[in-house]
Amino acid sequence: MKTRWYVWLERVAPEPLLKVGHQYTDLAAELFDDFAQRVKRDRMDSKAWVEDAKARFSHEWGNAGVIDGEFMPEEVGNALALLQTQGSSLQTQLAAEIADIEAFVDQLSEVEDDFSEAELNMFRAKGALRGVRRFKVETQAELGTYNLLKKKRMQEDTGQEQP
């Protein structure tokens, strides 16, 4: 269930920039504070606040790929903003994972003294093998999908019917 104020925030910014799962983003909190101050306390008209807030806060998602143009459908901007948000989230996750791996590597160097060189080589080979298998599966899926789509497009371009 959405609160009464949330519908006004959605008129200012795309929903993917306001919520991540069930959590409100920092932008949503900032917009809510602004809405509460200007509309509820200062008695500004809600529609006027939307226009004003769009002008003042658009920099928050301007770099996120949201396109502000009267001929561009809103869904395009929302999709681009969502991709940018997801990309930023993935970058944050990647940085955390790299930090974890670096800590793990530091710990591993301490543990290596407890294992023979042959054991360590076996662990490394198993890890490398898992990495190769994962890469192979991902690459095969990518190439299969790409080739299927390419074949479909070629059939459409030549006017042939699909089997």
Side-chain angles (χ1 to χ4, degrees):
M1 181 172 103
K2 294 182 181 178
T3 58
R4 290 180 292 173
W5 55 266
Y6 187 76
V7 295
W8 294 104
L9 301 188
E10 286 182 311
R11 294 180 185 185
V12 175
E15 184 172 12
L17 296 179
L18 299 174
K19 288 180 80 173
V20 177
H22 295 294
Q23 299 289 322
Y24 293 106
T25 65
D26 290 340
L27 175 61
E30 190 175 351
L31 284 170
F32 171 72
D33 288 342
D34 190 67
F35 179 82
Q37 173 65 41
R38 301 187 79 207
V39 175
K40 296 300 179 187
R41 292 185 200 122
D42 298 343
R43 304 277 188 229
M44 181 178 195
D45 177 66
S46 297
K47 291 179 183 177
W49 175 82
V50 168
E51 293 305 315
D52 182 64
K54 278 184 181 181
R56 289 184 298 116
F57 286 92
S58 64
H59 69 280
E60 296 284 343
W61 60 87
N63 293 332
V66 176
I67 300 170
D68 185 22
E70 62 180 270
F71 298 112
M72 189 61 62
E74 183 178 331
E75 293 81 15
V76 172
N78 290 350
L80 292 172
L82 178 60
L83 286 174
Q84 181 66 28
T85 302
Q86 289 173 341
S88 296
S89 175
L90 288 174
Q91 288 295 335
T92 303
Q93 289 175 356
L94 175 63
E97 291 292 328
I98 288 175
D100 286 347
I101 288 294
E102 288 173 346
F104 175 74
V105 168
D106 290 341
Q107 291 174 353
L108 183 62
S109 65
E110 295 173 10
V111 174
E112 283 182 342
D113 295 336
D114 296 339
F115 293 104
S116 70
E117 191 63 33
E119 288 175 313
L120 291 175
N121 287 338
M122 181 184 69
F123 296 149
R124 288 183 187 111
K126 284 182 177 180
L129 183 58
R130 279 194 311 269
V132 167
R133 288 177 179 160
R134 289 174 65 189
F135 178 80
K136 184 178 178 182
V137 167
E138 184 178 331
T139 303
Q140 286 173 335
E142 177 184 344
L143 291 173
T145 302
Y146 174 79
N147 287 329
L148 179 69
L149 293 171
K150 189 173 182 178
K151 181 179 177 183
K152 182 178 178 182
R153 183 170 183 200
M154 288 175 33
Q155 288 175 340
E156 288 173 358
D157 287 348
T158 61
Q160 295 178 354
E161 289 195 25
Q162 296 179 0

